[in-house]
């Protein structure tokens, strides 16, 4: 059974701080890793993808991947109240295997 | 990324009836998927909609309950049959996931079964 684990939160951070979201996965052959943001009542929105070990930065977002530890994280710098949402970690194996989602971490940025 | 639309956006249905949800994409896509998101839960894959052949269902989901059509590379339907209150959920169409591997979601259909 392929599993993706996330802390459900809520994770509360003050405005301007760095929010750190973590995810672990069980399938060692996983190859693609994604972070989605989901606002209440809306569908998931892809915000980051990462495929190789290390860091990938896009604006205020940094995704970090460590395949040896089966760990992927998302850092949000200068957190804003508009970042308050549920963040879903998703992992895919090789080929056309389906995405496996974690349960999501609810982030609350306090003004 | 492709623009994905779903109809209806929401519906309230009676127990025992069926609802067909449509998913339209503005460009041809190889992979289309149907997900369910129950209240307060994460996403669960129902099936992969295959163009020109039967859908591939995940464990726990069967064709009689969730028949799927995929007549071409831009359109798919999911039917929720013989509904019960446990089927109350958001149903999401998703595309992508091959090359490149990113996958995108439609706006969802919020279904309430009374």
């Amino acid at each position: 059974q392929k599993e993706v684990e996330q802390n459900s939160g809520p994770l509360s951070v003050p405005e301007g701080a760095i929010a750190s979201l973590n995810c672990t996965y069980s399938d060692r052959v996983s190859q693609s890793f994604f972070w989605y943001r989901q606002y209440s009542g809306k569908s998931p929105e892809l915000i980051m993808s990462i495929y190789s070990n290390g860091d990938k930065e896009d604006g205020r977002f940094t995704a970090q991947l460590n395949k040896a530890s089966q760990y992927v994280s998302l850092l949000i710098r200068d957190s804003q109240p508009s970042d308050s949402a549920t963040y879903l970690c998703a992992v895919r194996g090789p080929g056309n295997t389906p995405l496996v989602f974690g349960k999501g971490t609810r982030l609350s940025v306090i003004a | 990324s492709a623009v994905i639309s779903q109809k209806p956006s929401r519906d309230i249905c009676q127990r025992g009836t069926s609802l067909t949800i449509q998913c339209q994409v503005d460009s041809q896509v190889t992979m289309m998927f149907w997900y369910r998101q129950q209240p307060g839960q994460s996403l669960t894959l129902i099936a992969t909609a295959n163009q020109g052949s039967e859908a591939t269902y995940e464990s726990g989901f069967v064709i009689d309950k969730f028949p799927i059509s995929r007549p071409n590379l831009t359109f798919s339907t999911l039917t929720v049959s013989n509904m019960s209150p446990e089927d109350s959920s958001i149903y999401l169409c998703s595309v992508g996931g091959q090359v490149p591997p990113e996958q995108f979601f439609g706006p969802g259909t919020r279904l309430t079964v009374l």
Side-chain angles (χ1 to χ4, degrees), chain B:
Chain B
S1 61
V3 176
I4 309 166
S5 59
Q6 284 186 236
K7 288 184 191 178
S9 58
R10 58 178 62 227
D11 207 341
I12 300 173
C13 300
Q14 296 297 319
R15 181 194 299 259
T17 62
S18 298
L19 176 72
T20 295
I21 302 167
Q22 298 179 5
C23 177
Q24 179 75 55
V25 190
D26 70 342
S27 59
Q28 292 187 340
V29 293
T30 305
M31 307 294 287
M32 290 182 79
F33 308 91
W34 287 97
Y35 286 81
R36 179 174 75 181
Q37 188 173 31
Q38 294 179 303
Q41 302 297 313
S42 189
L43 283 77
T44 302
L45 179 64
I46 297 171
T48 301
N50 302 309
Q51 195 266 329
S53 64
E54 210 167 87
T56 304
Y57 289 84
E58 297 299 305
S59 176
F61 297 96
V62 295
I63 188 171
D64 290 346
K65 175 68 175 176
F66 297 102
I68 288 171
S69 78
R70 177 91 191 269
N72 56 52
L73 292 176
T74 64
F75 186 79
S76 178
T77 66
L78 168 75
T79 299
V80 186
S81 303
N82 188 25
M83 288 184 285
S84 67
E86 292 71 34
D87 294 319
S88 297
S89 241
I90 298 174
Y91 290 86
L92 293 150
C93 172
S94 179
V95 304
Q98 204 167 34
V99 179
E102 285 85 1
Q103 199 169 311
F104 302 94
F105 288 85
T109 296
R110 184 180 294 272
L111 171 63
T112 302
V113 184
L114 303 177

Side-chain angles (χ1 to χ4, degrees), chain A residues 31-92:
Chain A
Q31 293 189 346
S32 308
F33 308 85
F34 307 92
W35 284 98
Y36 288 82
R37 177 176 62 198
Q38 187 173 27
Y39 293 113
S40 181
K42 301 293 186 183
S43 67
E45 173 192 8
L46 180 65
I47 56 172
M48 287 292 284
S49 56
I50 187 166
Y51 309 108
S52 55
N53 282 328
D55 294 0
K56 179 182 177 182
E57 187 174 316
D58 184 0
R60 294 187 296 112
F61 299 102
T62 299
Q64 300 174 315
L65 175 62
N66 184 326
K67 289 186 178 181
S69 301
Q70 295 176 235
Y71 176 91
V72 58
S73 66
L74 179 70
L75 301 177
I76 306 174
R77 289 181 299 282
D78 187 24
S79 295
Q80 302 297 308
S82 58
D83 295 325
S84 298
T86 296
Y87 289 80
L88 299 164
C89 175
V91 174
R92 172 179 283 120

